[in-house]
Amino acid sequence: MREQHTSSDYRFAPHERPMMPGSPATPDHPLRRRVGYFAAGILIGLTGGFVNGLLTANLPQIQGALGLTSEEAGWLTAAYSMTNVCMSLLLIKFRQQFGIQRFTRIFLFAFLILNVVQLFVHNYGTELIVRAASGVVASGLSTLGLFYFMQAMPAKWRLKGLVLGIGVSQVALPLARVISPALLISGDIQNLFLFELGLTLLSLAAVSLLRLPPSERIEAFEPIDFLTFAFFAPGIALLCAILVQGRIVWWSTPWIGYALAASIVLIGIALIIEHNRANPLLNTRWLASADVVRFAIVAASMRLLLSEQNFGASGLLAVVGMGQEQLVPFYAVVTGATVLGLIASMIFLNPMDLLRPVAFSCGLIAVAAFLDADSSNLTRPAQLYLTQAMIAFAAIYFMGPTMLSGVLHALAKGPSHIVSFAAIFGISQQLGGIGGASLLGTFQTVRERFHSEMLAQSILPTDPQVALRLQQLGGAYSRTLGDPALRQAEGTVLLSQQVSREAAILAFNDVFLLIGSIATIGLVYLLGRWTYFTIKGINPLANELAAMAAMRERAASA
């Protein structure tokens, strides 16, 4: 492949050369410029995170404003997930072939166009297209923010910049729930789109005033890449649709089975094509290695466990009657804990010991989930501050070491493996997130039906306590209903509603117990591996770190 520079009169010094084509060079910037890169990284990272965060936080409001059913609203989430996962395959090669500056301009201008379209067109079809395109844009913005943070860091802290770039976009998720009630105070979802437009304009201004250093380019794309993508992308898209819609339309719906079968076939064909290529887009042999499979399982499992917050706690608070405005202090605490987790992850990052922070995060989730499993109809956000802060801290504390471990595995094998890593990381995180919510949602529904039946069987009209309760509930209508039989009927309806609420709360407690149990199993496994490596004096990434050091030495001597 022929290598070229973005500028004919620019020459990289040996220590400035990027680690791989498509990434910006890393010259020694003055302090003032580093501060500028840092501020731009925060802005771009938050902008990319808000793309999904505002959708997740305000999906019920968007659904109501557009008059959508639950299934139609689910397709908005599925559309974002589909494109966000699939485009990670092509975006790396796009940067490698066309350069970082073109990458920056295209994706920020694309996001600007999407924001403008949202301001003037309000219908389901347009919103579906915009959300699908937003998944592509968010993937590009998250990478762009990461590059800006790495420019802001001196060479010895560049890995911390990687962690920061990953983490800032995650801060946007709880922060979106903090600011959304203020944006929707007038009840108009147009304010959400105006807010996104403002962030996009600020990001465009930032990258125009402070550009990234040039990158090296290569002829990255091969025609057969697009054949692989033509099979892989629809296969992953169908899998996303299944995970999002399965618990909404329920798993027995016929199209779910057909979609799953088609997904397996399409992904299988893509992997067969890649397995027999000399320069594969997806290195199937490396992806099937024990280290990479273990990495994917751990990353996906952690995302599943973190659904305790996004599905469990938020669902429980909704059942006990907490609205979006009442949860602002709760999500402010979660946002603060997320920031603390990001800071702690940067401070304690140690490439020689990346397993310990993941085990610690797993332990925090286990403790928090077991504490939440004692919830009742009297539970309010204040009772969940501590446990949800623990989970928010764990959510960000584990992500940096986990991704760094995968990056080291990939770079040690050569820059060509980065595309495969991006695919496996994106799939594990996105599918782990929506799959975790789907699994827990299904489990909660099944357990709610079980508890509802058990409670209904224990309520007998002949029981004096039940009769008294019906009388008390019916008494609420004594001023409006004179007929005792009608009051009795209304009392029965209210009692049925209370039973349903109690069944839902008990089901959420079961969800917390399930998460706590899975987290405990994960903790035992991770602690076992960490203890073994510590006693034996083994660094599981020793070969990868040695390979990276050798690559830096070759680059310095070139």
Side-chain angles (χ1 to χ4, degrees):
M1 294 183 290
R2 183 173 55 87
E3 186 175 296
Q4 56 182 343
H5 296 98
T6 54
S7 175
S8 58
D9 58 354
Y10 188 91
R11 293 296 181 268
F12 297 116
H15 71 281
E16 293 179 330
R17 290 175 66 91
M19 182 64 71
M20 59 178 289
S23 299
T26 53
D28 298 323
H29 300 291
L31 178 61
R32 183 178 179 182
R33 191 181 300 161
R34 291 190 186 279
V35 172
Y37 277 125
F38 188 86
I42 292 177
L43 175 62
I44 294 169
L46 289 177
T47 301
F50 277 132
V51 173
N52 185 42
L54 290 174
L55 170 65
T56 303
N58 300 284
L59 187 58
Q61 288 74 19
I62 296 174
Q63 178 182 347
L66 298 179
L68 308 180
T69 64
S70 297
E71 183 177 353
E72 289 172 330
W75 281 114
L76 295 179
T77 301
Y80 173 89
S81 300
M82 291 172 181
T83 55
N84 189 258
V85 173
C86 296
M87 289 306 296
S88 61
L89 284 176
L90 297 185
L91 291 185
I92 293 177
K93 285 203 169 187
F94 183 94
R95 295 199 312 270
Q96 291 176 338
Q97 181 150 337
F98 299 106
I100 189 66
Q101 296 300 336
R102 187 175 297 179
F103 170 84
T104 301
R105 291 193 297 269
I106 288 177
F107 282 94
L108 275 176
F109 275 112
F111 196 38
L112 176 64
I113 293 171
L114 292 176
N115 292 150
V116 173
V117 169
Q118 281 185 306
L119 291 178
F120 298 102
V121 182
H122 297 288
N123 59 63
Y124 178 57
T126 301
E127 188 66 20
L128 200 62
I129 294 172
V130 167
R131 288 306 159 191
S134 295
V136 181
V137 172
S139 181
L141 288 178
S142 62
T143 304
L144 186 61
L146 186 148
F147 285 153
Y148 269 84
F149 278 121
M150 294 188 75
Q151 294 298 317
M153 298 295 177
K156 62 180 180 179
W157 288 358
R158 204 146 282 150
L159 291 179
K160 298 182 187 295
L162 175 68
V163 174
L164 190 60
I166 300 166
V168 167
S169 62
Q170 300 301 310
V171 175
L173 300 178
L175 186 58
R177 294 184 182 273
V178 174
I179 66 174
S180 289
L183 293 174
L184 295 175
I185 194 168
S186 63
D188 188 0
I189 63 170
Q190 186 90 339
N191 293 334
L192 297 176
F193 308 142
L194 283 171
F195 180 72
E196 285 188 337
L197 176 61
L199 286 176
T200 306
L201 290 172
L202 289 174
S203 297
L204 271 170
V207 300
S208 298
L209 292 173
L210 189 60
R211 294 188 176 188
L212 289 170
S215 61
E216 295 178 341
R217 291 185 289 171
I218 59 174
E219 296 295 329
F221 283 114
E222 298 178 13
I224 200 169
D225 289 340
F226 299 99
L227 177 62
T228 296
F229 187 78
F231 286 104
F232 187 81
I236 292 293
L238 287 173
L239 195 55
C240 290
I242 293 165
L243 292 175
V244 172
Q245 294 287 5
R247 69 186 181 96
I248 297 176
V249 302
W250 207 243
W251 303 101
S252 57
T253 304
W255 74 261
I256 294 289
Y258 298 140
L260 179 60
S263 174
I264 294 172
V265 171
L266 290 169
I267 296 174
I269 293 174
L271 294 179
I272 290 172
I273 293 172
E274 293 300 289
H275 192 74
N276 294 284
R277 287 181 62 184
N279 299 307
L281 185 67
L282 293 170
N283 194 310
T284 55
R285 292 173 177 82
W286 180 70
L287 291 176
S289 65
D291 287 338
V292 177
V293 171
R294 189 182 300 113
F295 162 80
I297 292 174
V298 170
S301 298
M302 290 297 292
R303 293 304 302 175
L304 184 152
L305 294 175
L306 294 171
S307 298
E308 200 272 19
Q309 185 166 83
N310 298 325
F311 170 79
S314 60
L316 173 68
L317 292 173
V319 168
V320 298
M322 296 291 102
Q324 194 177 36
E325 296 80 5
Q326 296 167 294
L327 295 178
V328 170
F330 171 78
Y331 282 109
V333 170
V334 171
T335 302
T338 303
V339 174
L340 287 177
L342 178 56
I343 294 172
S345 183
M346 291 177 59
I347 293 174
F348 298 109
L349 181 68
N350 180 7
M352 305 297 291
D353 187 7
L354 295 177
L355 199 57
R356 179 164 50 180
V358 181
F360 180 73
S361 298
C362 211
L364 283 180
I365 295 171
V367 172
F370 284 131
L371 289 175
D372 285 345
D374 196 29
S375 300
S376 68
N377 57 21
L378 299 178
T379 298
R380 294 298 180 266
Q383 280 81 54
L384 300 178
Y385 282 172
L386 176 61
T387 56
Q388 295 308 304
M390 292 167 63
I391 291 178
F393 183 94
I396 208 72
Y397 190 63
F398 99 95
M399 187 167 289
T402 301
M403 184 171 184
L404 180 56
S405 172
V407 169
L408 291 175
H409 278 298
L411 286 178
K413 295 293 184 180
S416 62
H417 287 66
I418 284 292
V419 177
S420 300
F421 164 73
I424 198 68
F425 185 77
I427 290 171
S428 66
Q429 293 300 286
Q430 199 61 249
L431 296 189
I434 61 177
S438 181
L439 171 64
L440 298 182
T442 301
F443 180 76
Q444 193 272 339
T445 300
V446 172
R447 295 301 295 173
E448 182 179 351
R449 291 173 181 173
F450 170 79
H451 287 299
S452 183
E453 291 177 3
M454 296 299 293
L455 291 173
Q457 290 176 6
S458 64
I459 297 176
L460 301 175
T462 56
D463 188 329
Q465 292 184 342
V466 175
L468 177 61
R469 187 64 175 165
L470 288 172
Q471 184 179 0
Q472 291 172 340
L473 292 172
Y477 296 92
S478 59
R479 294 186 178 183
T480 56
L481 293 177
D483 189 339
L486 289 177
R487 288 201 301 270
Q488 179 80 3
E490 293 296 335
T492 302
V493 172
L494 291 177
L495 181 60
S496 176
Q497 292 174 351
Q498 291 181 354
V499 168
S500 297
R501 185 186 64 183
E502 291 300 321
I505 293 171
L506 290 173
F508 276 112
N509 285 342
D510 291 341
V511 168
F512 298 144
L513 287 173
L514 175 65
I515 293 174
S517 300
I518 296 174
T520 301
I521 294 172
L523 175 62
V524 171
Y525 169 74
L526 293 171
L527 276 180
R529 284 181 58 82
W530 180 80
T531 303
Y532 173 79
F533 290 140
T534 302
I535 293 174
K536 294 289 187 179
I538 298 173
N539 180 4
L541 291 173
N543 293 334
E544 285 75 12
L545 291 171
M548 292 289 294
M551 289 173 62
R552 284 194 294 268
E553 290 178 3
R554 287 195 298 270
S557 61

